[in-house]
């Protein structure tokens, strides 16, 4: 990998997400050689992916080059590499660009969509965990409306304008709200020759309330906001299969829809060599102790979505959210310095700063440890927090300007089919999708 030998111990971090970046920033001015490996050369700000999918933002305003984040740090090395295996016996990791030795290894590979083994949904449904997936979804949504214009078959037209979003967590709620706003504000102007009032946005939640990780007040209010926007909220229904055209559920309810978005689960991204049963907790997460060390594996640590640190307050580990990943990355940074200096490490204590979700313009719900609020003020808080945590000054300015523009103009101008999406069951007849 062309990384020079150093007199400092080498810390290899796998993953430049929220946790990996926070850790690298903490370590890079210390007496350690930091090697960050990621299969992408950018950090992906996942909380705003749904805005890319719905044409509200361009993808480059939520992605940021990893090299730029850590520019100028003397002992820092980045390599664009997919990590394939960890060999703990020799302290080496295997990647698609070669092998590398570590003194300390930190796994920060995050999570991926969990289809729970359902092949139909996995192959025909859409996920929204990466930027390419969000762009696929953006293309599919727009292609559906172009296609709907061309067909005389009313049933087919309805199915093309029928969206099923599975999972009533923040991702599902935010996407449903954004689609409803497009239906109301943009489609009638873009497609005056199509009866876009027939478009249906369905949010399907298996439990008895949406946003189950938030307060009941936040759930109720978010549901009310969605209903005001015209979203059909289906509760206590579990989607069981999808053949690309029909969504079946565990009840008599079925949906004929050309688009199903699966936002109903994630699992940790595992690595060969750290995948034995005794190392893993629910959702494929690596069991770690209060110092982030993978249980029973010396010199290997894990942070963020991939790590499960069980405590009295969090018996199933911390929520798979940005804040735990950032806080864990910072704490591990301090601890590795202590470890290298032979000092005792500090156990991790998570400071819960709350959670929030937005439904649409002027509509958001915020649960903070001491305050809970909903509506316009919550929406401004949501925007401020997201701008604050977005990496890169340019991105903050671009996102802010886009939001102001979209707010004033009721518009989302990034509704572009730059890279047509070839959905499997439509490839043959779809002339639009030919390159
Ligand atoms: C649509 C969506 C909306 C979200 N909204 C919110 C929100 O509003 N608030 C919130 O707090 N959280 C939200 N989250 C969750 C939040 O984004 C994650 O909890 C957070 O990103 C976890 O950080 P991490 O550092 O563990 O992993 P990630 O940020 O996912 O980073 C993992 C990194 O590892 C890299 N990687 C993975 N495998 C390999 C490999 N084998 N080799 C090399 N590199 C690898 C990836 O490329 C990636 O860069 C959302 C997530 C999604 C998908």
């Amino acid at each position: 990998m062309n990384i020079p030998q150093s007199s400092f111990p080498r810390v290899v971090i796998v993953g430049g997400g929220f946790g990996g970046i926070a850790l690298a920033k903490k370590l890079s001015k210390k007496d350690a050689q930091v090697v960050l490996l990621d299969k992408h050369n950018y950090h992906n700000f996942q909380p705003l992916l749904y805005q890319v999918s719905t044409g509200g933002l361009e993808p480059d305003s939520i992605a940021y080059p990893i090299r730029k984040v850590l520019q100028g740090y003397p002992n820092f090395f980045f390599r664009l590499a997919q990590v394939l295996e960890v060999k703990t016996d020799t302290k080496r990791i295997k990647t698609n660009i070669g092998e590398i030795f570590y003194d300390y290894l930190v796994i920060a590979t995050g999570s991926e969509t969990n289809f729970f083994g359902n092949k139909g949904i996995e192959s025909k449904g859409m996920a929204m965990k990466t930027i390419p997936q969000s762009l696929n979804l953006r293309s599919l949504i727009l292609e559906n409306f172009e296609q709907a214009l061309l067909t005389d078959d009313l049933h087919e037209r309805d199915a093309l304008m029928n969206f099923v979003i599975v999972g009533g967590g923040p991702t599902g709620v935010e996407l449903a709200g954004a689609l409803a706003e497009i239906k109301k504000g943009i489609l009638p102007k873009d497609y005056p020759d199509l009866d876009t009032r027939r478009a249906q946005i369905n949010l399907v939640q298996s439990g008895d309330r949406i946003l189950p990780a938030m307060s009941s007040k936040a759930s109720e209010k978010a549901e009310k906001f969605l209903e005001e926007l015209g979203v059909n909220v289906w509760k206590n229904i579990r989607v069981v299969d999808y053949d690309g055209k029909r969504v079946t559920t565990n009840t008599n309810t079925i949906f004929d829809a050309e688009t199903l978005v699966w936002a109903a689960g994630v699992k940790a991204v595992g690595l060969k060599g750290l995948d034995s049963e005794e190392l893993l907790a629910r959702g494929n997460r690596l069991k770690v102790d209060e110092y982030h060390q993978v249980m029973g594996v010396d010199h290997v640590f894990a942070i963020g979505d991939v790590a499960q640190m069980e405590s009295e307050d969090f018996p199933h580990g911390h929520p798979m959210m940005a804040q735990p990943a950032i806080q864990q990355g910072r704490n591990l940074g301090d601890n590795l310095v202590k470890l290298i200096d032979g000092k005792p490490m500090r156990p991790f204590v998570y400071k819960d700063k709350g959670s929030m979700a937005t439904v649409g313009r002027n509509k958001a719900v915020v649960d903070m440890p001491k305050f809970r609020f909903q509506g316009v003020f919550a929406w401004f808080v949501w925007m401020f927090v997201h701008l604050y945590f977005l990496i890169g000054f340019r991105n903050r300015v671009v996102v802010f300007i886009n939001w102001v523009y979209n707010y004033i103009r009721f518009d989302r101008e990034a509704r572009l089919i730059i890279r047509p999406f070839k959905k499997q069951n439509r490839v043959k007849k779809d002339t639009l999708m030919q390159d």
Side-chain angles (χ1 to χ4, degrees), residues 14-20 37-40 42-44 46-50 66 81-84 108-111 128-129 170-171 174 269 271 303-306 320-323 325 356 382 386:
V14 186
F18 286 101
L37 307 174
D38 200 298
K39 59 186 173 182
H40 301 119
Y42 56 84
H43 169 82
N44 167 12
Q46 296 173 33
L48 293 179
L49 281 173
Y50 82 96
I66 291 176
Q82 165 122 27
V83 174
L84 304 171
T109 45
S111 55
M128 200 181 61
K129 196 78 179 84
T171 301
E174 291 177 352
V269 176
L271 288 175
I303 52 172
D305 282 4
V306 78
M320 289 162 104
M321 288 169 57
Q323 265 306 313
M356 54 186 70
W382 179 92
H386 282 70

Side-chain angles (χ1 to χ4, degrees), residues 299-356:
H299 307 286
V300 180
F301 300 81
I303 52 172
D305 282 4
V306 78
Q308 170 123 331
M309 184 189 291
E310 292 172 10
S311 62
E312 215 174 294
D313 290 343
F314 297 94
H316 303 298
H318 299 106
M320 289 162 104
M321 288 169 57
Q323 265 306 313
I326 294 169
Q327 292 181 29
Q328 288 173 11
R330 288 178 184 156
N331 191 61
L332 179 57
D334 290 338
N335 274 348
L336 284 175
V337 173
K338 289 190 167 85
L339 190 66
I340 292 166
D341 292 345
K343 293 183 184 153
M345 295 193 287
R346 192 180 56 212
F348 177 69
V349 180
Y350 176 51
K351 286 190 199 74
D352 185 359
K353 295 187 176 167
S355 51
M356 54 186 70

